[in-house]
Amino acid sequence: MRNSFLIGFTTLSVVAIATTLPAQPATQQPPAAEARPTAGASPLRVDLPAEVQAVLDKRYPENVDDLRTLEGQVKRVLQAGRKATVAVTLGGAAGSGVIVSPDGIVLTAGHVVGEPGRRVTFYFADGKRARGVSLGMNESIDSGMMRITDPGPWPYAELAEADSTKIGDWVLAIGQPNGFFKDRAPPVRLGRVLYQSDEVINTDCTLVGGDSGGPLFNLRGQVIGIHSRIGPRLTANMHVPISTYHVTWDRLADSEAWGGRRRRGGREMPAEGRPLLGVAGNPEGVDCTITQVFPGLPAARAGVKVGDVVQKFDDAEVASFADLSRLVLTKRPRDKVKLRLVRDGEELEIEIALAGVTGDFPGAPSPSDEKE
């Protein structure tokens, strides 16, 4: 079992499938006035002065002046970013989000969305609120989208370009755990990018319950990620890269839900249309060694064997079974993918047509479990 948590909730990875649980219950929000749109439709941009860039170009701040320069830029990013950061409540769940368009598109985590079409209340730092609805979600990487339905325009943060973030970049995490409180300063954490891939950004910005769905900013005030989950170490803070939103924007905006599990009768059930490879491995292993190949499923039919080490999934590098799980869940049933394997010291390339999840895959609930 992978020791990873959706900002306070456990997630498992089995047969290249991850399980998510709903966001934590909300604390009661104080009465609030209705929010009013902000005039204009420009993003909340933050300039990056030359003296700040000079500090960022260093491996680390070298003196007190460098630290003060960095502190000043953090304050400017916070001042702008906080205007677009919202607390959200829907049903009995709570989380965070960030407005990224003048008409009120809000990015958040998939496990905060829960499912499309839910009524949402958005809370602002000044105590006001607005109404909205949940849109789509990709549970495989925990991305989600909502929309403010009250008329705009709204203050919004600018999205960073895809693949613009590098390991070592300074970043700022903002969230609103359990909403806004008059006497509590904004929960802000400054840190650096420790690791990144197409599916995750790992930083040392410590996350806590309720941060789920909040924004991760670069020091230009651009959104580079959305808070997703935490691991067993203080440095295991995971964020959904903004590049995944660029790629799946239309699907999320169309209220499509894919890549995860749905609840039926209080039980977690496989989601329709979820892709399936049909292998198992150790998510904590030092590489992506296949420990089990399930008969009758795509990997077995294509010739994958126990002991094979997966190195590439299409053009993406695979360093662990967790990587393979995330990559599988970016696809759809019947998609053809190529695996580059090492078997007994020799490299192989195998093409596999993914299947779709049914109630018959290994580990699925039995028919009796599906009764409501």
Side-chain angles (χ1 to χ4, degrees):
M1 181 174 68
R2 181 176 60 195
N3 292 323
S4 180
F5 303 87
L6 290 175
I7 315 300
F9 290 90
T10 306
T11 176
L12 308 178
S13 180
V14 181
V15 196
I17 291 177
T19 304
T20 60
L21 296 179
Q24 66 182 27
T27 56
Q28 186 174 1
Q29 297 284 347
E34 295 298 320
R36 292 292 180 266
T38 297
S42 298
L44 301 166
R45 291 195 175 98
V46 180
D47 292 332
L48 192 67
E51 62 270 22
V52 176
Q53 186 62 61
V55 174
L56 298 181
D57 288 340
K58 298 179 181 181
R59 186 173 181 181
Y60 48 80
E62 297 176 345
N63 49 50
V64 173
D65 287 340
D66 284 353
L67 290 173
R68 286 174 176 163
T69 299
L70 193 61
E71 180 185 34
Q73 187 66 12
V74 168
K75 288 180 178 179
R76 287 188 285 272
V77 173
L78 173 60
Q79 184 178 12
R82 194 170 183 237
K83 296 175 183 177
T85 302
V86 292
V88 302
T89 61
L90 59 171
S96 302
V98 58
I99 307 172
V100 295
S101 72
D103 58 348
I105 291 294
V106 176
L107 301 188
T108 187
H111 70 276
V112 175
V113 169
E115 61 181 342
R118 303 173 72 188
R119 293 181 179 178
V120 183
T121 301
F122 299 93
Y123 294 86
F124 292 77
D126 59 5
K128 296 178 180 179
R129 64 188 177 192
R131 296 163 295 184
V133 63
S134 61
L135 300 178
M137 56 190 294
N138 178 358
E139 290 188 81
S140 64
I141 56 174
D142 201 29
S143 62
M145 183 181 286
M146 299 175 174
R147 180 170 56 86
I148 299 175
T149 53
D150 289 338
W154 301 95
Y156 70 101
E158 187 175 32
L159 298 181
E161 294 183 3
D163 304 321
S164 62
T165 302
K166 305 185 300 298
I167 292 175
D169 282 355
W170 288 95
V171 291
L172 190 69
I174 302 179
Q176 295 301 334
N178 294 326
F180 294 89
F181 295 88
K182 180 179 179 181
D183 298 325
R184 185 182 70 180
V188 179
R189 285 129 290 178
L190 177 67
R192 304 185 88 166
V193 174
L194 305 179
Y195 167 81
Q196 66 173 347
S197 69
D198 291 339
E199 291 77 37
V200 68
I201 295 175
N202 176 203
T203 74
D204 54 5
C205 296
T206 304
L207 301 178
V208 298
D211 274 333
S212 292
L216 183 70
F217 290 102
N218 61 22
L219 291 196
R220 293 181 181 274
Q222 299 169 322
V223 181
I224 66 166
I226 297 296
H227 310 327
S228 173
R229 59 194 184 276
I230 59 176
R233 299 178 299 278
L234 289 177
T235 54
N237 305 285
M238 309 301 178
H239 319 263
V240 183
I242 205 63
S243 57
T244 67
Y245 290 89
H246 285 300
V247 172
T248 62
W249 189 276
D250 290 342
R251 298 180 71 182
L252 294 171
D254 288 342
S255 297
E256 185 176 347
W258 73 98
R261 300 170 75 87
R262 299 287 178 270
R263 289 190 168 273
R264 184 183 301 166
R267 298 179 182 273
E268 294 243 343
M269 300 299 298
E272 294 180 3
R274 186 169 184 153
L276 182 64
L277 180 60
V279 296
N282 178 11
E284 300 295 340
V286 295
D287 57 21
C288 186
T289 298
I290 302 303
T291 60
Q292 192 171 2
V293 180
F294 296 97
L297 294 182
R301 292 195 295 265
V304 177
K305 296 182 179 181
V306 172
D308 286 349
V309 180
V310 181
Q311 292 190 321
K312 272 194 171 184
F313 182 94
D314 285 339
D315 294 326
E317 299 288 340
V318 176
S320 66
F321 186 74
D323 284 347
L324 180 61
S325 298
R326 289 190 293 268
L327 289 167
V328 168
L329 291 170
T330 63
K331 301 294 184 178
R332 298 183 181 183
R334 295 184 294 279
D335 280 353
K336 291 184 178 181
V337 300
K338 291 181 180 179
L339 293 186
R340 180 178 296 176
L341 312 169
V342 173
R343 179 185 298 167
D344 298 327
E346 295 185 6
E347 286 192 0
L348 303 172
E349 190 171 273
I350 296 177
E351 186 174 82
I352 301 176
L354 298 176
V357 168
T358 70
D360 298 325
F361 77 91
S366 65
S368 61
D369 289 334
E370 298 185 17
K371 295 179 181 179
E372 298 187 6

